[in-house]
């Protein structure tokens, strides 16, 4: 028994181990993992007192109160996607999950937003319903944790071991037109479906697990459809006072038949869309109904409806496995384990850079990007996918970025919430993006590990930029939240330059006017503010609308997955502009920002040329804590001026633009470290 317990401890140690990555980018040597070595040494000690033969190949899982042995999965030496069983989603052990993996092809082309009038549709349920039609079709047969004593206890692959609960009703025959609903799959969150009319259905969403709040995201399956019939769906327990559905947003539909026959993926549907208060209450909060009508494209089809383009934990690992199997892209991208989530799901961290000697690599600045801390904000995953695909591409710009920077990407900070279909919380029932300052490592492992990683990076090298990718449910366009200290209107607003550049590179999607840069006390626990406190000047939250754009040529259109991936590519392109040795764009943006801020402060516009040399730039990107000062120590200011002169003189003799760019980045880093 002692030996069995020991082997389980060894297995746990391996599961929570993480791997260093940058060393392997310059030369990979086959070495034994420290966690495995530790287990081997401990096994030797145990074997001296145990009559059982020593082995590290057998691990035990507790099932129904007893230990069940199985063989350890083969270990993949460098990456983590080689462990198929390690990357399977782990669910709360009481959760029902239907078998099989759900797959969708990509998003559809851009759709026009249909104009919607507030309170366009008023439904009198007493008239449209009759006792013969009211029937409960689907109820998620799991306690939904309304009781405050319920909390996460444990997890397993595939969820609950017992057989699935049957649907509330079954079809009486081929002529039965009742729709069949399902939400017990990855990222699904349908709680109940009730038929209140012949083609009229009321739906309830499950709140985030172990909470009584956060019903916004929806994703569910419908079968036994009829084409050419106008159905009405009404979600009755939404809790937000306002929504973009009042301003033209439409739900998404995916038809398996339409995808197979026409190659059409997710696309917008809906007429008579309304979002209004319905008189019901949940947890002392008023409820709102989202109602829309639409037609299914085919008879006897399997369809899915969603709030935004789904991107599951399995989708992420499929993408990462594809990268690791590619001998070209895997040279620039190493996938490692940042930590495990509360449920034991792997949280991958990607290091993207060109292989280089250690002496060159330590001078590269870092760029840190994270996404999906709020699991229902799936649009952030598509933006991250666009960033990753751009960085691993063959374009000269991608190669230049890999030469100049070390990118650290955490594409899914809240895998547990993504798997169970939460909108905002983890399995703690808490918002992870309010707990970056928490010392409860075991409760919030992903944000604790991310904060520690960035803290270590700040000690090793300059962290040029941090950005956390999000989705927004009440605003159009793309915009950022940044951080800056209160300053006089005539001071240099360096923290706003990158967002302004992004707005110029993406003028039909990004709205600089929607950006905010105040640091509120209530946001101290967010990644944006807590990492800014570490000294990362450019610390942002990138918000992408669930709906679409209301500016430029894209005004009145929804965002598609192609748009979101293109936004990721534009983000990378803006990094090149921001660090371009030719400071023309930077200087122009800084002048424009100063004029905007002076106007807002009611000061006269200063038309004199702005000194935007490296001195000014370095004054805002020094290693000093941006929460305490707006510039470097006094003894560094003179040094920066000397470096500026040397840089300008040296670059006049260099004709290769790539070399000039890399030298500029290196000297910036040298100034920062000195």
């Amino acid at each position: 028994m002692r030996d069995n317990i020991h082997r389980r401890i060894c297995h746990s140690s391996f599961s929570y181990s993480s791997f260093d990555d940058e060393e392997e980018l310059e030369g990979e040597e086959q070495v034994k993992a420290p966690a495995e070595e530790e287990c081997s040494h401990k096994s030797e000690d145990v074997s001296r007192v145990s009559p059982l033969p020593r082995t590290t190949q057998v691990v035990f899982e507790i099932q129904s109160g007893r230990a069940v042995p199985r063989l350890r999965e083969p270990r993949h030496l460098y990456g983590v996607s080689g462990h198929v069983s390690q990357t399977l989603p782990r669910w709360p052990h009481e959760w029902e999950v239907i078998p099989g993996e759900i797959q969708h092809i990509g998003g559809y082309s851009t759709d026009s937003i249909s104009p919607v009038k507030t309170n366009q549709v008023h439904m009198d349920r007493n008239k449209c319903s009759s006792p013969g039609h009211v029937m409960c079709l689907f109820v998620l047969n799991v306690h939904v944790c309304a009781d405050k004593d319920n909390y996460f206890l444990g997890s397993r692959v595939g969820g609950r071991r017992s057989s699935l609960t049957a649907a509330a009703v079954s079809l009486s025959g081929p002529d039965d037109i009742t729709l069949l609903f399902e939400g017990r799959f990855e990222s699904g969150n349908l709680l109940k479906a009730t038929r209140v009319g012949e083609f009229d259905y009321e739906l309830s969403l499950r709140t985030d697990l172990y909470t009584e709040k956060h019903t916004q995201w929806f994703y569910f399956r419908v079968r036994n459809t009829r084409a050419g019939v106008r159905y009405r769906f009404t979600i009755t327990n939404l809790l937000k006072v306002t929504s973009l559905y009042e301003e033209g947003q439409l739900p998404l539909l995916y038809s398996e038949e339409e995808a197979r026959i026409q190659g059409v993926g997710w696309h917008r549907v809906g007429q008579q869309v309304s979002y209004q208060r319905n008189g019901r209450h949940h947890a002392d909060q008023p409820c709102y109904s989202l109602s829309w009508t639409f037609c299914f494209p085919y008879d006897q089809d399997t369809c899915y409806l969603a709030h935004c383009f789904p991107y599951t934990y399995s989708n992420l690992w499929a993408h990462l496995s594809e990268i690791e199997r590619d001998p070209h892209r895997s040279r620039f991208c190493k996938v490692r384990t940042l930590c495990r989530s509360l449920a034991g799901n792997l949280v991958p961290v990607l290091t993207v850079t060109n292989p280089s000697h250690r002496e060159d690599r330590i001078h590269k600045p870092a760029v840190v990007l994270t996404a999906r801390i709020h699991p229902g904000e799936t649009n952030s995953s598509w933006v991250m996918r666009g960033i990753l695909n751009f960085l691993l591409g063959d374009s000269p710009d991608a190669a230049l970025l890999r030469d100049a920077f070390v990118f650290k990407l955490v594409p899914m900070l809240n895998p547990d919430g993504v798997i169970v279909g939460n909108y905002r919380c983890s399995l703690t029932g808490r918002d992870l993006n309010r707990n970056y300052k928490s010392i409860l490592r075991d409760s919030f492992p992903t944000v604790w590990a991310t904060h520690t990683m960035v803290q270590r990076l700040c000690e090793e090298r300059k962290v040029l930029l941090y950005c956390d990718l999000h989705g927004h449910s009440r605003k159009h366009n793309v915009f950022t939240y940044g951080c800056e200290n209160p300053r006089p209107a005539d001071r240099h607003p360096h923290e706003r330059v990158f967002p302004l550049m992004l707005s110029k590179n993406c003028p039909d999607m990004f709205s600089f006017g929607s950006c905010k840069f105040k640091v509120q006390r209530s946001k101290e626990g967010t990644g944006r503010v807590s990492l800014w406190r570490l000294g990362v000047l450019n610390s942002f939250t990138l918000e992408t609308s669930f709906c679409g754009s209301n500016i430029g040529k894209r005004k009145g259109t929804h965002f598609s997955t192609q748009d979101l991936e293109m936004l990721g590519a534009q983000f990378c392109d803006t990094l090149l502009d921001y660090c371009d040795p030719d400071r023309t764009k930077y200087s122009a943006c800084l002048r424009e920002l100063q004029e905007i801020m002076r106007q807002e402060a009611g000061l006269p516009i200063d038309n004199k040329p702005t000194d935007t040399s490296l001195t000014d730039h370095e004054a805002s990107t020094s290693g000093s804590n941006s929460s305490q000062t707006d510039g470097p120590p006094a003894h560094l200011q003179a040094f920066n001026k000397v470096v500026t002169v040397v840089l300008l003189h040296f670059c006049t003799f260099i004709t290769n633009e790539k070399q000039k760019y890399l030298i500029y980045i290196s000297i910036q880093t040298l100034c920062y470290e000195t």
Side-chain angles (χ1 to χ4, degrees), residues 433-664:
N433 202 35
R434 296 296 183 272
N435 285 281
Y436 268 88
K437 297 177 67 176
S438 174
I439 61 173
L440 301 177
R441 175 180 181 176
D442 292 338
S443 296
F444 311 109
T446 60
V447 296
W448 190 93
T450 301
H451 189 276
T452 302
M453 178 186 71
V454 177
Q455 190 173 29
R456 187 189 68 178
L457 283 171
C458 289
E459 295 168 356
E460 295 175 351
R461 67 184 79 232
K462 175 181 178 179
V463 178
L464 176 72
L465 181 143
Y466 165 75
C467 189
D468 191 20
L469 309 181
H470 284 252
H472 207 284
S473 65
R474 291 183 287 183
K475 289 186 178 181
H476 290 283
N477 309 314
V478 183
F479 52 94
T480 61
Y481 296 135
C483 302
E484 67 179 6
N485 287 315
R487 57 154 62 86
D490 58 348
R491 293 294 298 276
H492 300 311
H494 293 283
E495 301 92 340
R496 303 188 180 206
V497 172
F498 184 86
L500 182 60
M501 283 185 169
L502 183 55
S503 72
K504 294 182 181 301
N505 288 336
C506 204
D508 299 325
M509 295 175 64
F510 192 97
S511 170
F512 183 75
S514 299
C515 297
K516 296 181 180 179
F517 299 91
K518 291 184 178 180
V519 178
Q520 298 170 301
R521 181 175 299 179
S522 62
K523 301 300 176 64
E524 287 289 339
T526 64
R528 166 177 62 97
V529 177
S530 63
L531 300 185
W532 175 68
R533 297 292 187 196
L534 292 178
V536 182
L537 174 76
N538 295 301
S539 187
F540 302 111
T541 297
L542 183 72
E543 297 279 358
T544 305
S545 174
F546 281 115
C547 186
S549 173
N550 64 2
I551 56 175
K553 297 178 181 178
R554 290 297 308 275
K555 184 175 182 179
T557 62
H558 282 93
F559 291 148
S560 66
T561 54
Q562 292 91 335
D563 294 326
L564 299 174
E565 292 190 53
M566 183 195 70
L567 174 63
Q570 294 290 353
F571 186 95
C572 295
D573 196 45
T574 304
L575 274 175
L576 288 172
D577 290 340
Y578 185 80
C579 296
D580 194 338
D582 181 356
R583 307 304 285 162
T584 303
K585 291 182 180 179
Y586 191 98
S587 301
C589 287
L590 202 54
R591 283 196 299 270
E592 183 176 341
L593 287 169
Q594 287 176 302
E595 292 176 0
I596 292 173
M597 295 182 69
R598 290 179 68 86
Q599 286 179 342
E600 291 176 350
L603 299 176
I605 299 177
D606 185 5
N607 294 320
K608 295 181 180 179
T610 304
D611 180 11
T612 55
S613 65
L614 185 61
T615 304
D616 291 329
H617 182 54
E618 286 302 323
S620 64
T621 58
S622 71
S624 59
N625 191 328
S626 59
S627 65
Q628 299 170 352
T629 177
D630 189 42
H635 69 277
L636 288 183
Q637 297 181 14
F639 176 78
N640 284 341
K641 293 180 180 179
V642 174
V643 171
T644 303
V645 175
V646 173
L647 172 66
L648 295 175
H649 179 72
F650 185 63
C651 285
T652 57
F653 297 97
I654 300 176
T655 57
N656 187 296
E657 291 299 323
K658 179 178 178 180
Q659 292 180 355
K660 185 183 296 185
Y661 188 93
L662 296 178
I663 290 172
Y664 176 77

Side-chain angles (χ1 to χ4, degrees), residues 212-357:
E212 295 182 347
K213 301 180 292 184
H214 309 303
T215 52
Q216 182 72 27
W217 161 259
F218 61 87
Y219 178 33
F220 57 88
R221 187 181 74 189
V222 182
R223 284 179 170 170
N224 198 38
T225 63
R226 295 295 186 271
V229 174
R230 186 166 296 280
Y231 290 87
R232 178 180 299 283
F233 282 2
T234 303
I235 299 175
T236 61
N237 64 332
L238 298 174
L239 299 176
K240 287 198 173 184
V241 177
T242 60
S243 171
L244 284 171
Y245 287 108
E246 298 174 284
E247 301 182 37
Q249 181 178 344
L250 299 177
L252 282 159
L253 173 72
Y254 182 94
S255 160
E256 289 189 353
E257 283 296 295
E258 199 167 18
R260 182 180 64 84
I261 297 172
Q262 302 183 34
V264 174
W266 287 99
H267 56 284
R268 305 282 176 174
V269 296
Q271 298 83 36
Q272 296 181 311
V273 181
S274 71
Y275 187 91
Q276 57 188 343
R277 188 167 175 173
N278 58 25
R280 304 181 186 183
H281 286 79
H282 173 79
D284 297 326
Q285 290 183 273
C287 291
Y288 295 80
S289 289
L290 168 64
S291 179
W292 73 98
T293 63
F294 69 105
C295 297
F296 290 108
Y298 292 93
D299 286 328
Q300 303 294 336
D301 194 6
T302 297
C303 295
Y304 298 82
L305 287 107
H307 178 59
C308 190
F309 304 101
Y311 195 95
T312 65
Y313 183 71
S314 297
N315 293 150
L316 171 64
W317 278 111
H319 189 210
L320 298 184
S321 298
E322 179 186 325
I323 292 171
E324 284 203 312
R325 291 193 299 267
D326 187 330
H328 177 66
R329 289 185 293 173
S330 61
R331 291 177 56 232
F332 317 124
C333 178
K334 298 303 175 185
V335 183
R336 297 294 175 266
T337 305
L338 177 68
C339 63
R340 281 183 179 259
S341 67
L342 193 64
N345 290 296
L346 295 179
V347 180
V349 57
L350 285 59
T351 302
V352 179
T353 192
N354 275 342
S356 58
H357 296 293

Side-chain angles (χ1 to χ4, degrees), residues 25 33 81 94 147 202 333 344 424 431 622 663 674:
L25 287 167
S81 62
E94 78 275 14
D147 190 331
E202 281 191 352
C333 178
R424 193 170 184 87
D431 184 346
S622 71
I663 290 172
T674 305

Side-chain angles (χ1 to χ4, degrees), residues 69-255:
R70 67 172 177 84
L71 289 176
R72 185 194 299 275
E73 293 293 331
R75 179 168 184 174
H76 191 253
L77 186 59
Y78 292 112
V80 287
S81 62
H83 296 280
V84 176
S85 65
Q86 291 288 316
T87 60
L88 293 176
R90 299 182 64 88
W91 300 72
H93 65 77
E94 78 275 14
W95 207 246
E96 290 188 359
V97 185
I98 62 174
E101 183 180 347
I102 294 173
Q103 297 181 345
H104 305 301
I105 65 173
Y108 193 49
S109 60
T110 304
D111 304 290
S112 296
I113 294 180
S114 301
V116 177
K117 297 180 181 179
T118 304
N119 298 328
Q120 178 181 354
V121 182
H122 175 71
M123 301 186 63
D124 187 341
R125 290 298 179 191
N126 294 324
K127 293 182 178 179
C128 72
S129 303
S130 65
H133 284 145
V134 177
M135 64 178 72
C136 189
L137 307 175
F138 171 80
V139 178
L140 185 60
N141 191 33
V142 175
H143 187 63
V144 193
C145 309
D147 190 331
K148 64 180 179 180
D149 294 332
N150 284 278
Y151 51 88
F152 173 72
L153 294 174
S155 67
R156 59 167 59 100
V157 174
R160 199 165 78 176
R161 298 298 188 196
S162 58
S163 58
L164 290 174
T165 305
V169 297
S170 57
L171 298 179
S172 59
D175 296 331
D176 191 337
I177 61 173
T178 303
L179 294 179
L180 301 178
F181 291 83
E182 183 59 77
R184 294 171 293 182
F185 51 82
E186 194 173 353
S187 294
N189 72 332
L190 183 64
L191 173 64
K192 183 172 68 173
T194 303
R195 185 180 181 188
V196 296
E198 187 177 13
F199 302 107
D200 195 347
Y201 295 83
E202 281 191 352
L203 312 174
S204 294
L205 305 179
R206 174 184 51 74
T207 61
D208 282 10
L209 249 59
Y210 316 114
T211 78
E212 295 182 347
K213 301 180 292 184
H214 309 303
T215 52
Q216 182 72 27
W217 161 259
F218 61 87
Y219 178 33
F220 57 88
R221 187 181 74 189
V222 182
R223 284 179 170 170
N224 198 38
T225 63
R226 295 295 186 271
V229 174
R230 186 166 296 280
Y231 290 87
R232 178 180 299 283
F233 282 2
T234 303
I235 299 175
T236 61
N237 64 332
L238 298 174
L239 299 176
K240 287 198 173 184
V241 177
T242 60
S243 171
L244 284 171
Y245 287 108
E246 298 174 284
E247 301 182 37
Q249 181 178 344
L250 299 177
L252 282 159
L253 173 72
Y254 182 94
S255 160

